Amino acid sequence: MDPLKAFLEEQEAKIVELFKNQIVKSEHDQFKDRIHLNGQAMYRMVIGYFRGTVTEEDIQALAYRVACERNQAQINIGDFVHNVCMGRRLILDSLQEGGVPAATMLPVVMKINECFDIFLVHAVSKYTELKDRDLDKKQMFIERSHKDRMTILGQMASSFVHEFRNPLTSVIGFSKLLKEDHPDLPYLDIIENELYQLNYRVSQFLLVSKKGSAAVSRRIETFNVAQLIEDILAFLYPTIVDVNAQTACTIDPSFSLTGNRDEIKQVLINILSNALDALQRVSGERLIHIEGFQNEQKASISIANNGSPIPPDILPVIFEPFFTTKELGTGIGLYVCKEIIERHDGTISCESSERSTEFRMTFDQRDE
């Protein structure tokens, strides 16, 4: 194969130049001016592979170096594989044009392909390993950042409750006294309702943090779900009238749950409030259907509305903290709902289509 080696050495400058002119490269690649040098190194490795002076370990070392460079350059792995295959094709085309005898051609092609295949396997494997490592680091950073944000939010909530909850409770108390002393005084019902809504929002922030959760009473009791829904609908009645929504309930009067009534109430208020918000964006009949049932194994509550649907790409992340599509939303409402339901040994899910959006809460029945 000495004439073949000599031929390949003579063709080096020509093939490297062709490779340099045809490679795919990104303008954002900080190593773009060195890609053809990697091609030249690979070309010389092919020659060494023929001579027997280059081993698979040598090819692996080059593959690892190039893979590290390509990963650092943040390039598409497809572009890298294309360039390698294009370099192989240039060598094979050159051999055909050089008049290499047919009897010699087959083992030559097999040897070249073997060298390139070894290189590609090691390069792509290393590139994938490096990408996976980078993704793991990014995931750890995201999780750490998320934890930091939750800690800060918890601290803010703890400070917020001391500065805000006490005067709010006083105002609610005095509004009740005013209502008792002056039952006909106009707008008191509206004021009282808005104060309770504000108190509910404060409680949401408290429940995001562990400190907030501990601060809220965790009294466990068995309560009637039908009565709870009735209380919530009365609480939301001004908004229901304002939206012009129709509500329908299908709940067994004996349906009961064991847990923290106030927390479950908060979940249901949040979901119903979101439903009313969705109904405001549609015309025609506006419906909310509440359904509840239980058997020996499971208890379930579902709230469905025919308002504007949740887009499919958003649906998987609606329970993530700080995610919101509302202009002035906090992004913690549904996250808090999920935390509360899971704390009650339950699950919450959502399905949405053009026809309806349904939130379903399912609980394991506890042994009494």
Side-chain angles (χ1 to χ4, degrees):
M1 284 191 183
D2 286 340
L4 176 62
K5 297 172 192 171
F7 175 79
L8 287 173
E9 288 175 350
E10 291 172 1
Q11 295 294 308
E12 178 180 327
K14 174 186 173 182
I15 292 178
V16 171
E17 186 65 23
L18 287 171
F19 179 77
K20 182 178 181 180
N21 294 331
Q22 296 182 38
I23 53 177
V24 175
K25 57 185 176 181
S26 169
E27 289 302 317
H28 304 292
D29 183 351
Q30 66 265 44
F31 304 111
K32 61 180 181 294
D33 296 329
R34 288 171 44 185
I35 296 176
H36 71 285
L37 298 178
N38 292 334
Q40 185 177 41
M42 186 64 201
Y43 188 88
R44 291 175 179 175
M45 188 157 286
V46 170
I47 297 175
Y49 199 60
F50 275 113
R51 288 176 175 167
T53 58
V54 170
T55 64
E56 181 172 344
E57 287 74 19
D58 297 323
I59 299 173
Q60 182 186 50
L62 176 63
Y64 279 11
R65 180 179 67 77
V66 174
C68 290
E69 179 188 288
R70 297 294 82 207
N71 177 63
Q72 187 178 349
Q74 302 273 314
I75 60 94
N76 188 312
I77 187 65
D79 292 345
F80 167 69
V81 173
H82 168 83
N83 289 336
V84 173
C85 292
M86 186 261 291
R88 172 173 17 198
R89 177 178 56 78
L90 289 174
I91 296 174
L92 296 177
D93 289 349
S94 178
L95 289 172
Q96 287 181 329
E97 294 170 2
V100 177
T104 309
M105 194 66 175
L106 181 59
V108 169
V109 170
M110 291 179 64
K111 195 73 173 177
I112 292 173
N113 282 333
E114 182 182 1
C115 184
F116 271 92
D117 288 344
I118 292 171
F119 176 81
L120 270 176
V121 166
H122 286 302
V124 172
S125 297
K126 187 64 175 178
Y127 182 91
T128 303
E129 176 190 331
L130 293 170
K131 280 295 181 186
D132 289 343
R133 190 181 304 168
D134 289 344
L135 287 173
D136 288 341
K137 289 180 180 178
K138 290 178 181 178
Q139 184 63 32
M140 287 178 61
F141 175 77
I142 291 170
E143 290 175 356
R144 188 161 52 246
S145 297
H146 169 71
K147 185 178 180 181
D148 291 343
R149 292 176 73 185
M150 295 302 292
T151 300
I152 292 171
L153 185 58
Q155 294 171 348
M156 290 173 59
S158 179
S159 175
F160 185 69
V161 68
H162 286 95
E163 298 295 331
F164 197 85
R165 202 72 179 272
N166 289 338
L168 178 61
T169 303
S170 297
V171 173
I172 291 174
F174 281 116
S175 69
K176 288 181 178 180
L177 291 175
L178 276 174
K179 192 172 183 178
E180 291 175 2
D181 294 342
H182 306 281
D184 298 327
L185 193 65
Y187 311 123
L188 270 181
D189 287 339
I190 297 174
I191 292 172
E192 191 173 43
N193 182 73
E194 292 299 319
L195 287 171
Y196 278 118
Q197 288 277 11
L198 182 57
N199 188 55
Y200 158 68
R201 297 299 176 189
V202 172
S203 298
Q204 276 192 317
F205 278 98
L206 292 178
L207 288 167
V208 170
S209 67
K210 291 182 179 179
K211 289 182 180 179
S213 298
V216 177
S217 172
R218 293 286 296 135
R219 186 165 64 94
I220 303 301
E221 60 182 312
T222 299
F223 55 90
N224 184 275
V225 175
Q227 183 60 54
L228 176 62
I229 295 293
E230 185 177 331
D231 293 344
I232 292 170
L233 292 178
F235 173 65
L236 293 175
Y237 182 74
T239 307
I240 293 172
V241 172
D242 185 56
V243 174
N244 193 25
Q246 301 297 317
T247 60
C249 293
T250 307
I251 299 178
D252 186 340
S254 63
F255 181 14
S256 63
L257 283 176
T258 298
N260 186 285
R261 187 180 186 275
D262 289 338
E263 290 184 355
I264 297 299
K265 179 180 180 181
Q266 181 170 350
V267 171
L268 298 177
I269 289 176
N270 197 309
I271 294 174
L272 282 166
S273 296
N274 287 346
L276 290 166
D277 185 64
L279 288 173
Q280 286 183 327
R281 299 192 291 271
V282 297
S283 57
E285 194 174 25
R286 298 171 174 178
L287 303 174
I288 294 177
H289 185 232
I290 305 168
E291 187 177 51
F293 74 90
Q294 67 182 152
N295 53 38
E296 293 181 356
Q297 290 80 34
K298 297 285 184 181
S300 178
I301 303 172
S302 70
I303 299 175
N305 71 84
N306 66 337
S308 54
I310 301 172
D313 59 323
I314 290 177
L315 198 57
V317 297
I318 59 173
F319 294 105
E320 293 295 320
F322 308 112
F323 177 83
T324 181
T325 58
K326 299 178 182 179
E327 184 178 354
L328 299 177
T330 61
I332 63 170
L334 288 177
Y335 169 70
V336 169
C337 290
K338 182 173 180 289
E339 290 285 298
I340 291 174
I341 295 301
E342 290 179 351
R343 198 153 57 233
H344 284 76
D345 300 324
T347 59
I348 183 170
S349 61
C350 177
E351 295 181 359
S352 186
S353 66
E354 291 295 332
R355 184 181 176 189
S356 71
T357 296
E358 178 183 10
F359 283 85
R360 181 173 294 276
M361 293 142 281
T362 305
F363 304 88
D364 291 328
Q365 290 288 70
R366 300 177 179 180
D367 295 331
E368 299 295 335

